[in-house]
Amino acid sequence: MSETADRVKKIVVEHLGVEADKVTEDASFIDDLGADSLDIVELVMAFEEEFGVEIPDDAAEKISTVKDAITYIDEHKG
Amino acid sequence: MRRVVVTGLGLVTPLGADVETVWANLIAGKSGAGPITRFDASDQKCRIACEVKPAGHDYGFDASKRVDHKIQRQVDPFIVYGIDAASQALEDAGLTEMSEAERFRAGASIGSGIGGLPGIASESLVCENKGPSRVSPHFVHGRLINLITGQVTIKYGLMGPNHAVVTACSTGAHSIGDAARMIAMDDADVMLAGGAEGAICPLGIAGFAQARALSTNFNDTPERASRPYDRDRDGFVMGEGAGVVVLEEYERAKARGAKIYAEVIGYGLSGDAYHVTAPHPEGSGAYRSMEMALRKSGLSLADIDYINAHGTSTPLGDELELGAVRRLFGDDIGGLSMSSTKSAIGHLLGGAGAVESIFCILALRDQIVPPTLNLDNPSESCTGVDLVPHTAKKRQVRAVLNNSFGFGGTNASLVMTSI
């Protein structure tokens, strides 16, 4: 597992209060992890803070699984 | 009019996070006051408060018992306290699993005086220092006063009246009175009613201290600071927590064999129309509020055995309330006991009227009245009134009166009795 994945999963566990083993890369924030649209806004803000990346709204709207988030961050972090 | 009874109770206070623990500590004469631990208060005029104790303390509050982890992160403390107390009350009433038809007729009226001040203060710094794009998407609904009602009705699927009172320190009493009327008027069969507060933060303490409302002479002896009716009182001690009751239409409660704690038989409301913070100099609003509640109850003055006073421990307020009680009750004042439990748990502001109504209900149940702590040297005006100094008192308690008065000149009184 990549370092990005570890840090993303930690943030998801902390924000959504879910068990760590449920946060698989294929897990959907809304369907599998109980998030609502505002939780995703908050998660995206936490990713921005953690990785020093900017995730614009149109990109954020396309992030629906844990893997989507990891991929976006790996592609954009400095 | 339909009759309204209390069938469930829930408390989160500085003396415990469940009804029986709080009551036992209160009757034992314990104080919930201490130095402020929530933040560094060393530069404040008032450095003491009655804080809800953390999980792990003998009578601490464990938020994770009844409040979802995600919600705990998103909302201010007053909402967490309110959700927990409301959940306790529904569990106590045995009403956590109602049918859809019942839930259409069940609602909530749980308010707060101030709401999410700690979160507003901290998020305003985020906006200022990090910019608007860092403000939490949960900022607004995590601070709004009606969001205890919002959260609780979502948690339990209650689809009846969805309401929240905001009348400063009268909130809790108004919430119960208003919700009781909703049931009496056939708007609902079951209502969660009460109030909560969680405003112990730098801005909250500083604001009340600057308004000269808080005690500042007892920073080194916090448990002695809240001393209603005592000669040396110098302001209130801020408390926090929540009190919520389940109100239920009497025939329904009886038919399902519910445990019935008390009946709400009188509710009075009035305004001072005088000053934003100072009470009316003749206690006119307090008098009329009590008089209306008693008139509605159909009881005579001599039937009231216990008054849970507003009694915040401010020099002016305590005196004026006592004067109003004296004028209303006349000679009958000799037969009743009146205490201020704010001496033990501090002033829960929007939660006070609900928490203190629960104390009144427990006084009815156990035939014992809680004490006024620190009443070492009663003011001269106290002569001839049993203010229950220092220790709880076993006595007959047939009917109770609860008073709550708030900034803005708002007053509420409730009369309750056993069935």
Side-chain angles (χ1 to χ4, degrees):
Chain A
M1 195 186 292
S2 73
E3 190 226 10
T4 306
D6 274 348
R7 285 156 74 192
V8 164
K9 288 179 185 180
K10 201 171 156 216
I11 289 171
V12 173
V13 167
E14 164 62 20
H15 277 70
L16 301 180
V18 290
E19 299 294 330
D21 58 11
K22 287 200 173 152
V23 190
T24 62
E25 299 210 356
D26 291 333
S28 152
F29 292 115
I30 290 179
D31 296 334
D32 302 318
L33 301 176
D36 61 25
S37 58
L38 293 181
D39 293 329
I40 294 181
V41 174
E42 199 184 27
L43 277 173
V44 165
M45 285 170 59
F47 298 148
E48 288 179 326
E49 197 111 322
E50 173 77 13
F51 295 100
V53 294
E54 198 177 322
I55 308 177
D57 286 354
D58 55 346
E61 278 164 21
K62 292 181 189 127
I63 294 177
S64 64
T65 66
V66 175
K67 190 176 182 173
D68 293 340
I70 296 168
T71 306
Y72 185 91
I73 292 162
D74 277 338
E75 284 171 3
H76 292 83
K77 73 178 173 185
Chain B
M1 290 268 255
R2 309 192 318 154
R3 294 170 68 183
V4 182
V5 293
V6 179
T7 58
L9 309 176
L11 284 175
V12 175
T13 81
L15 282 181
D18 68 274
V19 170
E20 298 309 329
T21 301
V22 177
W23 184 236
N25 283 336
L26 188 74
I27 292 300
K30 287 191 186 166
S31 164
I36 289 173
T37 65
R38 232 16 96 59
F39 62 93
D40 176 7
S42 54
D43 57 353
Q44 297 267 356
K45 282 181 196 158
C46 171
R47 300 189 290 277
I48 57 172
C50 291
E51 295 177 342
V52 167
K53 309 300 180 281
H57 184 281
D58 272 356
Y59 42 88
F61 169 58
D62 180 3
S64 57
K65 257 169 122 173
R66 294 186 177 87
V67 186
D68 182 72
H69 168 92
K70 206 169 78 178
I71 293 171
Q72 285 181 50
R73 286 191 59 260
Q74 295 170 354
V75 307
D76 251 60
F78 84 101
I79 298 180
V80 175
Y81 300 149
I83 296 172
D84 188 278
S87 304
Q88 288 178 43
L90 270 186
E91 289 165 18
D92 185 31
L95 292 177
T96 53
E97 307 282 340
M98 288 187 275
S99 70
E100 188 183 55
E102 288 179 295
R103 290 184 287 113
F104 279 130
R105 300 276 303 164
S109 172
I110 307 169
S112 176
I114 296 178
L117 185 62
I120 291 172
S122 61
E123 209 68 8
S124 79
L125 294 178
V126 171
C127 189
E128 177 72 19
N129 298 329
K130 296 185 173 175
S133 67
R134 309 318 305 171
V135 171
S136 166
H138 300 292
F139 169 61
V140 174
H141 55 266
R143 320 273 97 73
L144 290 180
I145 282 181
N146 69 306
L147 259 289
I148 300 172
T149 289
Q151 291 281 4
V152 165
T153 53
I154 292 166
K155 180 177 179 187
Y156 293 103
L158 312 181
M159 295 173 280
N162 202 286
H163 200 57
V165 171
V166 184
T167 50
C169 305
S170 307
T171 297
H174 275 135
S175 297
I176 293 174
D178 290 354
R181 285 195 177 168
M182 289 177 200
I183 293 174
M185 297 290 287
D186 205 14
D187 300 329
D189 296 328
V190 174
M191 288 293 291
L192 280 163
E197 208 70 77
I200 300 176
C201 65
L203 201 52
I205 295 289
F208 278 104
Q210 292 299 82
R212 305 297 185 265
L214 292 180
S215 168
T216 54
N217 290 341
F218 296 88
N219 282 320
D220 298 326
T221 50
E223 68 288 347
R224 296 183 59 229
S226 187
R227 43 196 317 112
Y229 307 106
D230 187 81
R231 240 169 23 199
D232 297 323
R233 68 188 185 275
D234 72 326
F236 75 80
V237 177
M238 200 188 291
E240 60 174 349
V244 178
V245 300
V246 172
L247 298 177
E248 194 166 350
E249 191 271 320
Y250 172 59
E251 295 299 336
R252 181 198 135 90
K254 199 168 65 170
R256 74 179 181 92
K259 165 179 62 184
I260 296 177
Y261 286 100
E263 180 172 4
V264 181
I265 56 172
Y267 176 35
L269 325 75
S270 72
D272 278 2
Y274 173 70
H275 186 269
V276 283
T277 60
H280 189 280
E282 283 146 26
S284 146
Y287 179 93
R288 286 179 289 108
S289 170
M290 288 187 280
E291 193 275 331
M292 185 193 293
L294 271 160
R295 181 160 38 84
K296 296 273 171 78
S297 77
L299 298 183
S300 63
L301 294 164
D303 294 326
I304 300 293
D305 288 322
Y306 174 61
I307 299 176
N308 188 298
H310 185 59
T312 57
S313 188
T314 56
L316 203 55
D318 291 5
E319 206 75 38
L320 293 172
E321 180 181 13
L322 188 55
V325 169
R326 204 182 276 284
R327 275 192 293 129
L328 179 64
F329 281 82
D331 290 343
D332 289 317
I333 203 167
L336 59 81
S337 297
M338 167 165 145
S339 66
S340 169
T341 45
K342 289 185 179 79
S343 59
I345 60 164
H347 190 352
L348 270 68
L349 310 174
V355 169
E356 292 159 14
S357 288
I358 291 174
F359 294 160
C360 285
I361 289 164
L362 295 168
L364 284 168
R365 183 189 73 178
D366 293 347
Q367 300 288 291
I368 188 167
V369 294
T372 304
L373 303 186
N374 299 314
L375 186 46
D376 300 330
N377 299 295
S379 293
E380 275 175 32
S381 61
C382 298
T383 313
V385 186
D386 174 26
L387 294 167
V388 201
H390 305 299
T391 48
K393 181 175 175 178
K394 276 264 173 207
R395 60 157 295 157
Q396 183 184 51
V397 187
R398 296 160 302 160
V400 294
L401 170 69
N402 181 32
N403 281 336
S404 289
F405 313 132
F407 280 3
T410 174
N411 311 293
S413 301
L414 292 164
V415 174
M416 293 176 287
T417 184
S418 330
I419 282 213

